[in-house]
Amino acid sequence: MIQNIAPESVPVNELEAGAESVSLNIIDLAMQGGWIMVVLLLLSIYAVYVFIERTMALSRALKEDKTFMGKIKDYIHSGNIDSARTLCAATDTPVSRMIDKGISRIGRPLNDINTTVENAGNIEVSRLEKGLAGLASVSGGAPMIGFFGTVTGMIQAFFEMANAGNNIEVSTLAGGIYTALVTTVGGLAVGIVAYFAYNYLVARVEKVVFILEARTMEFMDLLYEPEK
């Protein structure tokens, strides 16, 4: 007679306990990345600071009074230069500071005025681009720093494997490898965020540049217009 032998069953509560015991704690894993993760944390803090500070500055620069150039035109054509400069000082925007430089040169040749206005515009753009070079460096450098941490971690893991001889434990080797790979993930995360933040800010700066160029042409045109 053939007897049916039932396989041993594992209690459900033991399976659930085993499943719950295996988890990935991101914070603990990040801390195992070593000093490279500290560097990446500092870079991420810098990138966030630059992004927030530049976003606020560019938002202020993009706020434009639609009646500003009309008032400047009326003041200049009426010969009230002091009132025009007072309006520029009260407005305090990249456009107003650029126009104020041009107004201060009224009476000189128009080519000189145009050069002055363009130089003032370039200075304003340079001020708005402050910090963008550093943000670009973070977007490109963070992944390389993370990869550097991974390479050094892999070297350390294989060094320990070579010294272990025949007593190699797979769990120890695997743990060293995935810990080393954490730095690559961290570097890519910081680099990707910084990359998109940089491109967003560059697009905002280009909008300001377009406004400055448009107001430069408008200002020069009103100087060429005959007084009515």
Side-chain angles (χ1 to χ4, degrees):
M1 179 180 293
I2 301 174
Q3 295 180 350
N4 294 329
I5 301 175
E8 295 182 359
S9 60
V10 180
V12 177
N13 57 351
E14 291 184 6
L15 291 174
E16 293 178 351
E20 292 177 356
S21 63
V22 180
S23 62
L24 183 63
N25 192 321
I26 301 299
I27 297 177
D28 292 341
L29 194 61
M31 292 179 65
Q32 293 179 20
W35 63 271
I36 294 291
M37 297 302 292
V38 176
V39 176
L40 293 176
L41 176 63
L42 295 176
L43 290 177
S44 65
I45 293 174
Y46 171 78
V48 170
Y49 168 77
V50 171
F51 177 74
I52 294 176
E53 191 271 335
R54 285 295 88 193
T55 299
M56 296 175 62
L58 289 168
S59 297
R60 292 192 298 268
L62 287 170
K63 290 181 180 179
E64 187 178 15
D65 183 3
K66 301 299 182 181
T67 64
F68 174 75
M69 291 305 298
K71 294 178 180 178
I72 292 295
K73 179 179 179 180
D74 293 338
Y75 285 139
I76 291 177
H77 284 177
S78 63
N80 198 349
I81 304 300
D82 292 337
S83 297
R85 299 200 65 181
T86 300
L87 177 61
C88 290
T91 306
D92 193 23
T93 62
V95 171
S96 66
R97 289 190 290 270
M98 181 185 69
I99 297 301
D100 182 61
K101 287 293 184 182
I103 295 174
S104 66
R105 299 297 191 273
I106 289 180
R108 298 185 180 183
L110 292 177
N111 288 335
D112 292 346
I113 298 176
N114 187 38
T115 301
T116 300
V117 172
E118 289 180 350
N119 291 337
N122 292 333
I123 293 173
E124 294 297 331
V125 172
S126 297
R127 290 176 179 172
L128 293 174
E129 290 177 340
K130 183 183 67 175
L132 294 188
L135 193 58
S137 298
V138 171
S139 68
M144 290 189 289
I145 293 174
F147 184 66
F148 173 79
T150 296
V151 172
T152 55
M154 294 291 288
I155 292 173
Q156 182 65 29
F158 282 106
F159 176 78
E160 293 176 356
M161 182 179 66
N163 290 334
N166 295 327
N167 299 324
I168 300 174
E169 294 184 3
V170 177
S171 60
T172 302
L173 181 60
I177 292 175
Y178 78 72
T179 300
L181 290 174
V182 168
T183 59
T184 293
V185 175
L188 287 173
V190 174
I192 290 171
V193 172
Y195 175 77
F196 283 108
Y198 170 78
N199 283 298
Y200 172 79
L201 294 177
V202 167
R204 301 277 284 179
V205 170
E206 289 178 353
K207 288 183 180 180
V208 178
V209 171
F210 175 78
I211 294 174
L212 291 174
E213 291 177 349
R215 298 300 167 262
T216 298
M217 295 179 61
E218 190 174 351
F219 177 71
M220 295 307 300
D221 287 342
L222 73 87
L223 292 182
Y224 280 104
E225 289 180 1
E227 298 182 7
K228 296 180 181 181

